[in-house]
Amino acid sequence: MTASILTVDDSPSLRMAIRIALTGAGYRVTEAGDGVEGLAKAGAEKFDMIVTDLNMPNMDGLTMIRVLRAQPSQAGVPIIFLTTESDADMKAQAKNAGATGWLVKPFVPDQLIKVARKVLGR
């Protein structure tokens, strides 16, 4: 079965780059433009992994992760931060909120695929 990944980022060009990388590796990708849309999509469908930006309008990635982690159905879903932030304090906040991993933009497609394979086990 093909793994399903939700990508949440306010940049259409970045969402496209993520989709190209992940679909090329055989994953199914659904896109959302901010945390509010990401929460709605995560609530409507089961995803095997979520990739989210930190800084977005309407709802940032940290808030979205906290809300997702409060839902039992989302407890085991790996969530990867893909952001320009590399601050140690922000990484600690993300980890405390429930983020599984952290990638810094600009991302290398092979690196994202490697992380996806590692956390999904396929």
Side-chain angles (χ1 to χ4, degrees):
M1 187 180 126
T2 303
S4 180
I5 299 172
L6 174 63
T7 177
V8 186
D9 198 296
D10 57 324
S11 163
S13 58
L14 195 73
R15 287 196 313 268
M16 185 175 72
I18 294 168
R19 184 180 67 239
I20 289 168
L22 293 173
T23 56
Y27 298 108
R28 191 170 65 80
V29 176
T30 300
E31 298 176 30
D34 62 38
V36 173
E37 189 182 352
L39 276 179
K41 291 191 175 184
E45 186 181 336
K46 177 86 172 101
F47 292 97
D48 299 298
M49 182 172 105
I50 297 170
V51 178
T52 185
D53 188 14
L54 174 59
N55 300 306
M56 297 179 287
N58 303 317
M59 181 186 288
D60 66 36
L62 260 181
T63 304
M64 185 186 80
I65 289 176
R66 287 186 181 114
V67 174
L68 284 170
R69 289 299 188 219
Q71 301 170 6
S73 63
Q74 302 293 333
V77 178
I79 302 175
I80 307 300
F81 253 128
L82 180 61
T83 180
T84 54
E85 300 276 343
S86 57
D87 179 63
D89 179 55
M90 190 53 74
K91 284 183 181 179
Q93 284 185 53
K95 190 173 167 97
N96 289 337
T100 311
W102 189 283
L103 284 172
V104 177
K105 293 179 194 172
F107 76 101
V108 177
D110 287 347
Q111 190 181 22
L112 179 61
I113 292 164
K114 192 174 169 186
V115 167
R117 287 189 176 135
K118 183 177 179 182
V119 300
L120 294 169
R122 54 184 171 209

